[in-house]
Amino acid sequence: MKPIQLISPVDGSVYLERMPLSRDAAFAAAARAKSAQKAWAARPLEDRIALVKAAVKNLNDMSATVVEELAWQMGRPTRFGGEFGGVNARTEYMSDIAAATLAPHMVEDSDAFRRYLAREPVGVVFIVAPWNYPYLTTINTLVPALIAGNTVVLKHASQTMKVGERLAEAFHAAGIPEDVFQNVVLDHATTEALIAARAFGFVNFTGSVGGGIAMEKAAAGTFTPLGLELGGKDPGYVRHDANLEAAVDTLMDGAMYNAGQCCCGIERIYVHESLFDAFVEKSVAWVSALKLGNPFDAATTLGPMANKRFAAVVRSQIAEAVAAGAKPLIDPALFPADDGGAYLAPQILVNVDHSMRVMTEESFGPVVGIMKVKDDEEALRLMNDSPYGLTASVWTQDYETAQALGQRIETGTVFMNRADYLDPALCWTGCKDTGRGGSLSYLGFHSVTRPKSYHLKKV
């Protein structure tokens, strides 16, 4: 068995190296989680909530260290801080709604019958977390799973292995037992073997479509429920009545923030012909003002991509599109830090169409294609011409228009005058190849619990 290496995108060095658990050790860890679950679920709900909140506070107390570690692991500039705003908001909301969401739903309570629906924890929840927002994506499932009375086994992405260790440190220091929340390092074969052996009551995976397919194959025949968030190719549509300045600022930020490495980042934009030229001109100015460089430099607004192989995918998409007639609008001379490796200059493409990979396949990098459309119908056709369906951003002045368009867009979330954001009160979900299931909102608790019916009769 070989150690798993975390190669830093900052300088290409080995930042961290960990040995994966052996098959026997991994199965033993899952068995400990299963053994610990009943006692954890027996604790009062308010105690579980208090412990989870204390754990997240511990995480906040590590903020300076965490921000620096994130830069080394996946390249995000330190000027943007960590992910604590979202971590805290999601923890607070899920804690606030827990009692009402998990309370039994009484159908009848009379002299003859007591009938009600209860929610029961699924047992052991397995989280396979991604590297791009490594704390946020974990918290989405970790917090409701523990609050609902499950134990949790976390396998973090190899690119952000230190994140799993920090989470375990924070949660254990708060008093959450080590067997209730375990961070493990696993190889693919052992991961699949655990799932195939029905070691878990629920598996939540965030990653590629290929990874999601592997998860479904591993779970085949086990009846283990899966939550799969497999990325997207999220569109923005700028209608004729849009606020142009706001649209440029939000959509370009949605396309470029985190070096474009966002599941719900903006990857393609359709602009009404009346605003197209102005939108493109302002977008080019916005992107040209970014500064690509070392993430520890306070002036850097665009860090390296998490791995040079990810950047290679984006470069190939851009090159293919340009060879097919697309026009690049960002001068690479503005970004001398582009080294042909993990440091990648941003790019805006026009003269693009859906025959090009950059408009149909997930890029997950700092590139966006912009197309001119004549009306809503053309925009709808193009937005729906995708194997993905995570979010869609519509820019208009009218709620009813956004709602009407949203009903026809094949997506999990419809934004109006917003993009690249998770509201903890709304379910985070998708359709088509983006996956299945949902996190956050009251439905996030439904993912990590199962219904149990009680039909009690007096005789």
Side-chain angles (χ1 to χ4, degrees):
M1 188 174 288
K2 295 181 179 179
I4 295 175
Q5 291 186 331
L6 192 172
I7 307 299
S8 173
V10 177
D11 58 7
S13 65
V14 177
Y15 179 70
L16 203 69
E17 187 174 87
R18 296 287 185 266
M19 284 296 298
L21 293 180
S22 68
R23 182 187 174 98
D24 287 347
F27 273 80
R32 290 195 304 273
K34 185 174 183 179
S35 295
Q37 189 268 321
K38 295 295 185 185
W40 173 249
R43 293 197 185 194
L45 174 61
E46 56 268 26
D47 289 358
R48 298 197 301 268
I49 292 173
L51 286 167
V52 167
K53 284 186 169 183
V56 172
K57 182 184 181 302
N58 288 344
L59 197 61
N60 277 262
D61 291 342
M62 303 176 185
S63 60
T65 300
V66 162
V67 168
E68 182 175 318
E69 289 174 348
L70 282 173
W72 280 113
Q73 291 175 94
M74 46 77 68
R76 185 183 302 137
T78 55
R79 66 178 288 155
F80 297 123
E83 300 168 9
F84 296 103
V87 165
N88 295 337
R90 296 174 198 185
T91 300
E92 283 298 320
Y93 184 80
M94 298 306 285
S95 297
D96 289 347
I97 68 168
T101 304
L102 297 172
H105 174 71
M106 192 65 66
V107 177
E108 179 183 358
D109 192 6
S110 69
D111 291 340
F113 289 98
R114 180 173 293 172
R115 298 180 295 134
Y116 63 95
L117 283 165
R119 305 295 310 184
E120 189 165 280
V122 294
V124 183
V125 171
F126 184 41
I127 301 174
V128 183
W131 51 262
N132 62 321
Y133 283 91
Y135 285 98
L136 284 172
T137 51
T138 304
I139 286 292
N140 287 351
T141 303
L142 175 60
V143 165
L146 289 175
I147 287 175
N150 302 281
T151 52
V152 174
V153 176
L154 168 66
K155 175 196 176 298
H156 226 296
S158 58
Q159 195 68 43
T160 42
M161 287 189 289
K162 191 65 180 176
V163 172
E165 295 175 3
R166 288 297 182 199
L167 284 163
E169 179 184 343
F171 278 63
H172 296 159
I176 293 173
E178 292 188 7
D179 288 346
V180 169
F181 173 44
Q182 299 179 62
N183 174 64
V184 296
V185 178
L186 302 173
D187 59 24
H188 293 315
T190 303
T191 299
E192 292 172 5
L194 284 165
I195 296 170
R198 209 185 302 205
F200 310 113
F202 175 68
V203 176
N204 190 84
F205 171 79
T206 305
S208 67
V209 172
I213 291 170
M215 290 287 168
E216 286 203 322
K217 286 182 177 177
T222 68
F223 308 115
T224 301
L226 302 176
L228 303 172
E229 196 224 295
L230 310 178
K233 190 73 181 174
D234 290 6
Y237 171 37
V238 182
R239 297 186 77 244
H240 64 86
D241 64 338
N243 180 314
L244 186 62
E245 298 288 345
V248 168
D249 188 57
T250 299
L251 291 175
M252 287 303 106
D253 183 66
M256 300 298 163
Y257 184 75
N258 211 40
Q261 298 166 130
C262 306
C263 298
C264 58
I266 294 295
E267 297 214 355
R268 52 198 174 108
I269 302 174
Y270 308 101
V271 183
H272 188 269
E273 57 191 9
S274 64
L275 295 180
F276 181 81
D277 291 341
F279 181 89
V280 169
E281 180 182 357
K282 290 177 182 295
S283 295
V284 169
W286 196 102
V287 172
S288 296
L290 293 171
K291 183 178 185 338
L292 174 67
N294 188 299
F296 297 101
D297 183 342
T300 295
T301 54
L302 193 67
M305 294 189 66
N307 192 293
K308 63 183 181 182
R309 74 176 185 274
F310 305 151
V313 170
V314 181
R315 285 191 174 93
S316 69
Q317 287 187 356
I318 293 171
E320 286 178 20
V322 171
K327 181 179 179 181
L329 299 181
I330 303 299
D331 183 356
L334 295 172
F335 299 92
D338 186 327
D339 62 355
Y343 290 84
L344 172 64
Q347 190 54 267
I348 292 174
L349 299 171
V350 292
N351 297 348
V352 289
D353 59 48
H354 282 213
S355 70
M356 302 171 181
R357 282 198 302 145
V358 76
M359 294 300 287
T360 57
E361 295 184 11
E362 189 169 36
S363 301
F364 223 60
V367 60
V368 66
I370 307 176
M371 288 179 65
K372 183 188 299 183
V373 295
K374 65 179 182 297
D375 55 25
D376 291 347
E377 292 303 316
E378 184 178 11
L380 282 164
R381 177 179 61 79
L382 291 166
M383 283 191 283
N384 286 337
D385 182 28
S386 172
Y388 296 104
L390 186 56
T391 79
S393 176
V394 177
W395 289 78
T396 180
Q397 299 296 336
D398 186 66
Y399 283 132
E400 282 66 37
T401 297
Q403 183 175 329
L405 290 172
Q407 289 170 347
R408 299 173 63 193
I409 302 172
E410 297 160 358
T411 190
T413 295
V414 178
F415 290 114
M416 171 179 156
N417 301 336
R418 185 158 221 179
D420 192 22
Y421 175 77
L422 273 71
D423 181 341
L426 299 177
C427 185
W428 190 242
T429 187
C431 61
K432 299 192 283 190
D433 283 358
T434 288
R436 70 184 192 197
S439 60
L440 301 177
S441 79
Y442 74 92
L443 292 172
F445 278 113
H446 288 195
S447 296
V448 294
T449 58
R450 65 180 181 88
K452 191 170 187 178
S453 296
Y454 289 80
H455 194 136
L456 312 179
K457 178 184 178 182
K458 285 187 178 181
V459 294

